[in-house]
Amino acid sequence: MEIWINPACSKCRSAVQLLDAEGASYTVRRYLDDVPSEDEIRAVLDRLGLEPWDITRMQEAEAKELGVKEWARDAGARERWIAALAAHPKLIQRPIITADDGTAVVARTDDAVRDALSR
């Protein structure tokens, strides 16, 4: 199990605390320092069953500068979104847990963290 976090994020810290409390075995990835490649983002999206715009933090200053709210949200625009997430990792929703069964979850709630633990 791996968790992508930003240590400055309260939801990330809460998720890590819950993983620790449950005695989970996991690896921390500080994704702002160890930026995921486009291929890694594609893999996580597949595991999540989501599209890149579903995990994009639209309120970030970088998102506003790029104008991502106006970008198309279809198969033809998918690679543009993935490239933007790789180039601007602050835009990636957090925390993301990749579960042992090959799935993943955006773990913004305790229930989502527990869901990942149960997989």
Side-chain angles (χ1 to χ4, degrees), residues 34-112:
D34 182 8
V35 178
S37 68
E38 290 183 23
D39 284 342
E40 288 174 307
I41 292 169
R42 280 186 208 93
V44 164
L45 288 167
D46 288 345
R47 291 175 80 162
L48 287 166
L50 297 173
E51 293 296 337
W53 45 86
D54 296 325
I55 65 162
T56 300
R57 296 174 55 84
M58 300 292 185
Q59 297 306 315
E60 290 289 333
E62 292 175 32
K64 292 176 182 177
E65 289 170 16
L66 293 170
V68 296
K69 279 190 178 181
E70 309 307 318
W71 292 4
R73 296 178 189 199
D74 57 30
R78 190 171 198 265
E79 289 304 310
R80 180 183 188 192
W81 284 85
I82 291 169
L85 293 174
H88 306 277
K90 268 189 156 181
L91 298 181
I92 299 172
Q93 190 60 260
R94 60 186 183 249
I96 293 176
I97 297 175
T98 55
D100 292 336
D101 71 350
T103 62
V105 63
V106 178
R108 295 188 57 75
T109 66
D110 286 353
D111 286 342

